[in-house]
Amino acid sequence: MAAPPVQSVPPAAAAAAVNEDGFRLGFVGAGNLAESIARGVAASGVLPASAIRTAPHRRPERGEAFASFGACLLQTNAQVVDDSDVIVISVKPQIVKQVLLELRPRLSEEKLLVSIAAGIKMQDLQDWSGQRRIIRVMPNTPSAVGQAASVMCLGEMATQDDENRVRKLFSAIGKVWTAEEKYFDAVTGLSGSGPAYIFLAIEAMADGGVAAGLPRDLALGLASQTVLGAATMVSQTGKHPGQLKDQVTSPAGTTIAGIQELEKGAFRGTLISAVVAAAKRCRELS
């Protein structure tokens, strides 16, 4: 398939793309996570697709992905910055410094900079960009299905309006919390790496179902839906997970027999150690 045409947005079109909040959203970096955010923002109605812009990725299909839901494709990242009020830095962490140094002459305090680059600290973002109006956000991969867990922290010149605007954008792909940056390594260890732990648990539960005699497709469906249902109960009821566990656990019943095996295998301790190890590794890499 041919790459979508790269287009410059003329002033009239740009003016039409300004939404009721009066801002345009640009993505420097058009990877999968950026696409998930952009799609969610457009699908939720937070912004019209015409208010979203990016520059083509080195892989043509990334430009096609943005064009498919109506986002505007510009020729360069510099044009994205010039034509946007809120700029999401969504490139790989190892090239954030290079990108920000290149874009620095075009950045100003009139523009809000949002970084979703994992492990890049606020101080570095400020030093490289020359900006102080920055919000750092840590989303996770379930953003692809509108169920992200995102945490944000504010730079020294980010305003309450900036926080509200970014919260609205990321609420389009899941839930959002605000926390101090000192917690971000732990956030990475828990919600950033956490989906992989749950994928592993779903796979193991499905394998257990197969071992107990279930067909593979039924076992996998039951395992994934069970995890989804349990997580929804914790989220929606507000009850402590231990309380919900006790409600399922009858005396001398099947559930307590299974829990006893999990305790023998240090299930809870192993999960705790996994989060701590991932957080430690994040500190080492940043």
Side-chain angles (χ1 to χ4, degrees):
M1 182 183 296
V6 177
Q7 60 186 28
S8 294
V9 182
V18 177
N19 57 89
E20 62 181 11
D21 285 337
F23 74 97
R24 292 178 294 270
L25 177 65
F27 288 86
V28 174
N32 292 325
L33 182 54
E35 180 197 343
S36 295
I37 297 167
R39 281 187 181 275
V41 166
S44 68
V46 172
L47 288 179
S50 56
I52 300 171
R53 52 263 296 109
T54 192
H57 195 274
R58 67 181 182 279
R59 291 181 293 155
E61 65 268 23
R62 300 310 310 142
E64 293 168 8
F66 273 77
S68 69
F69 62 89
C72 298
L73 298 184
L74 303 179
Q75 293 182 354
T76 66
N77 286 333
Q79 289 179 339
V80 172
V81 171
D82 290 345
D83 198 46
S84 302
D85 305 296
V86 178
I87 301 143
V88 180
I89 303 299
S90 48
V91 297
K92 294 185 182 301
Q94 58 265 33
I95 64 170
V96 170
K97 181 177 182 178
Q98 172 190 337
V99 168
L100 287 179
L101 290 175
E102 290 174 355
L103 296 176
R104 180 171 179 151
R106 305 185 108 85
L107 296 170
S108 68
E109 298 298 349
E110 284 70 45
K111 297 179 183 292
L112 172 62
L113 200 62
V114 178
S115 172
I116 61 170
I120 306 299
K121 297 190 179 302
M122 184 69 72
Q123 187 61 57
D124 289 329
L125 294 169
Q126 293 179 165
D127 291 345
W128 300 336
S129 68
Q131 282 268 64
R132 294 295 182 270
R133 190 181 169 205
I134 302 175
I135 293 182
R136 182 183 171 194
V137 185
M138 180 68 191
N140 62 1
T141 55
S143 59
V145 292
Q147 294 294 335
S150 301
V151 182
M152 63 178 175
C153 67
L154 278 60
E156 58 190 53
M157 289 190 66
T159 67
Q160 183 66 54
D161 286 344
D162 292 337
E163 179 182 359
N164 293 340
R165 180 172 284 178
V166 172
R167 182 178 298 278
K168 184 182 293 185
L169 291 173
F170 282 84
S171 291
I173 58 164
K175 294 187 177 182
V176 187
W177 289 263
T178 301
E180 296 177 49
E181 189 179 33
K182 66 182 181 180
Y183 297 120
F184 266 48
D185 291 334
V187 167
T188 300
L190 177 54
S191 60
S193 301
Y197 314 153
I198 303 305
F199 297 148
L200 194 63
I202 291 171
E203 182 184 31
M205 288 173 65
D207 285 347
V210 172
L214 293 178
R216 169 65 63 181
D217 58 346
L218 177 57
L220 183 57
L222 289 173
S224 58
Q225 183 62 31
T226 298
V227 170
L228 175 63
T232 302
M233 287 185 71
V234 173
S235 178
Q236 292 188 0
T237 67
K239 293 181 178 179
H240 190 280
Q243 182 181 0
L244 293 171
K245 179 263 296 178
D246 288 348
Q247 291 175 358
V248 186
T249 309
S250 303
T254 60
T255 304
I256 193 61
I259 289 175
Q260 184 176 15
E261 290 303 309
L262 291 175
E263 295 290 6
K264 287 180 183 177
F267 178 71
R268 288 188 294 180
T270 300
L271 280 178
I272 292 169
S273 295
V275 173
V276 172
K280 179 183 178 182
R281 182 59 176 156
C282 184
R283 283 192 294 272
E284 292 171 351
L285 293 173
S286 60

